Amino acid sequence: MPFFRATPAPPATPPTEPLTGARAAWSDSFGKLATRCLQVIIILVIVAGIVYASQVLSVVTIPVLLALIIASAMHPVVSWLRRHGFPSVFATLTVLLGVLVVLGLLGYLIVVAVENQWSSLQKSAVQGFQQLQDFSTTLPFAVSDSQVDDAVKTATDFVTSAQFGSGALAGASATANFLTGLVLMIVVLFFFLKDGPRIWEFLLRPFTGASYTRARRVGDRVVSTLGGYVRGTATVAAVDAIGIGVGIAIVGVPLALPLAVIVFITAFIPIVGATAAGILAALVALVALGPVQALFVVGIVVVVNQLEGNFLQPVLMGKTLRLHGLVILIGLTAGTVLAGITGAIISVPLLAAAWGAVKVWDGPDLAAEPWRQKRSEDVEDHERANKRAKRREKAQKARTERREKAEKARAKQAAKAAKAD
């Protein structure tokens, strides 16, 4: 019996048959590229179908998303009430009534203030229009009275036309859809506040093990991101509304209160919301008071926006909304195209929540592998590295040239020595 046994040879792998026909066409590089393109097309079709279904069912999807965002913001309040002995239903109803009171107060302030000051604003608008007509006579190009009358007649004809009537009917339909969505949002918000964690656990029933842990982690991050965004933005919006509202009230702009409420609402639209509200306030000041007061309003808006961008946003928002400005603009545009003003308001927090989910996909502080930072993304670092590489390349090239010159010199000396011998 030998002391060491010979290791048996591994079984020979059977020779693979060469691919022929359609299989060979799909197995080469172009076939693999076509397969990837087909997969991308299928994914895009599915996404387009989901977006189309969301548009068709916007009366359902938008109220549910709004209820989810508001519930995420109010969840800490409900949890605090429950921890301090409040029954679940009572805590939920308290928070829900608080949300409804705030929303109703905003609408009431806009309607009542506009109704009380509409007549004075209308008179100011007539005077402003007359001033504008007088100012048009001083322009370098001529604007005749007939051109002004034609413009007024065109606007009057549009208001009295059938097209405007059909628009009014569409507005009535939109009002009915708004009321339906509002009722649905209130009901869904109640259940999200009362049974949100239980609903989420029910939706996680198909997941087990690591998949369940990941789904819980992603869900917690989405809720915290949405809640932090809404709470931070509401605080910033309140400061903006108070600052601009007090400023334009001191200047004497009519409709200061509804304009402040509009500033509060539009502050939930990043980048463009505050600018749009400032333009509206300046136009009201221009029509009602004149260009000097309008410039004062523009200055107030600029100061408040600078305070928001340089102090309030970094301190209150923190890392909740760490998105590039280009991403925010694209999200705003897409949301506005798909769902109007409501889409512009909810698109950015949804993008922030999606990015938050990606950042905890593989761990509490570990993003999904394709989106992890694998190198320095600082442009200046890359430029410095390129300069160092160019200097090294230049030094290496100089050393090579010196070495070649030395070798040529030695070769010449050797040739001279050989010729002398």
Side-chain angles (χ1 to χ4, degrees), residues 262-326:
I262 292 174
V263 169
F264 177 82
I265 296 174
T266 55
F268 284 86
I269 305 176
I271 298 177
V272 298
T275 304
I279 292 174
L280 179 61
L283 288 176
V284 173
L286 178 64
V287 170
L289 302 176
V292 177
Q293 289 81 356
L295 290 177
F296 276 112
V297 172
V298 171
I300 293 171
V301 173
V302 170
V303 170
V304 173
N305 287 339
Q306 290 298 318
L307 174 65
E308 170 196 340
N310 297 325
F311 178 72
L312 294 178
Q313 285 282 357
V315 172
L316 297 177
M317 301 296 291
K319 297 182 179 179
T320 301
L321 189 63
R322 188 63 62 86
L323 295 176
H324 194 276
L326 178 62

Side-chain angles (χ1 to χ4, degrees), residues 96-347:
L96 180 62
L97 289 176
V99 172
L100 294 180
V101 167
V102 171
L103 295 178
L105 182 62
L106 293 177
Y108 175 80
L109 290 176
I110 293 177
V111 173
V112 172
V114 171
E115 182 180 1
N116 292 336
Q117 301 183 26
W118 182 254
S119 58
S120 61
L121 183 63
Q122 187 177 13
K123 294 178 182 177
S124 300
V126 173
Q127 294 176 358
F129 182 73
Q130 292 175 352
Q131 293 176 359
L132 185 62
Q133 279 185 299
D134 296 337
F135 176 74
S136 64
T137 59
T138 63
L139 295 176
F141 52 88
V143 179
S144 62
D145 294 337
S146 60
Q147 291 175 330
V148 176
D149 294 338
D150 291 340
V152 173
K153 184 176 182 301
T154 301
T156 305
D157 293 341
F158 172 74
V159 171
T160 58
S161 63
Q163 183 180 1
F164 185 81
S166 62
L169 293 177
S173 176
T175 302
N177 291 336
F178 171 77
L179 295 177
T180 303
L182 179 62
V183 174
L184 179 62
M185 187 198 73
I186 294 172
V187 175
V188 174
L189 178 59
F190 171 80
F191 287 108
F192 279 173
L193 291 173
K194 180 177 179 295
D195 299 323
R198 294 174 58 186
I199 294 173
W200 182 237
E201 285 294 337
F202 173 78
L203 295 176
L204 295 182
R205 282 185 178 182
F207 300 94
T208 57
S211 299
Y212 172 77
T213 304
R214 171 182 291 171
R216 281 299 305 268
R217 184 171 62 247
V218 169
D220 293 340
R221 174 55 69 91
V222 168
V223 171
S224 64
T225 302
L226 290 176
Y229 173 82
V230 173
R231 290 189 295 269
T233 305
T235 306
V236 173
V239 174
D240 288 349
I242 293 173
I244 294 177
V246 171
I248 62 179
I250 294 174
V251 174
V253 178
L255 302 177
L257 186 59
L259 286 175
V261 176
I262 292 174
V263 169
F264 177 82
I265 296 174
T266 55
F268 284 86
I269 305 176
I271 298 177
V272 298
T275 304
I279 292 174
L280 179 61
L283 288 176
V284 173
L286 178 64
V287 170
L289 302 176
V292 177
Q293 289 81 356
L295 290 177
F296 276 112
V297 172
V298 171
I300 293 171
V301 173
V302 170
V303 170
V304 173
N305 287 339
Q306 290 298 318
L307 174 65
E308 170 196 340
N310 297 325
F311 178 72
L312 294 178
Q313 285 282 357
V315 172
L316 297 177
M317 301 296 291
K319 297 182 179 179
T320 301
L321 189 63
R322 188 63 62 86
L323 295 176
H324 194 276
L326 178 62
V327 177
I328 294 176
L329 287 176
I330 294 176
L332 286 175
T333 305
T336 305
V337 170
L338 294 175
I341 299 298
T342 306
I345 294 175
I346 67 176
S347 59

Side-chain angles (χ1 to χ4, degrees), residues 406-421:
E407 291 177 355
K408 289 180 179 179
R410 286 194 297 268
K412 288 182 179 180
Q413 290 178 358
K416 289 181 179 178
K419 187 175 181 180
D421 294 341

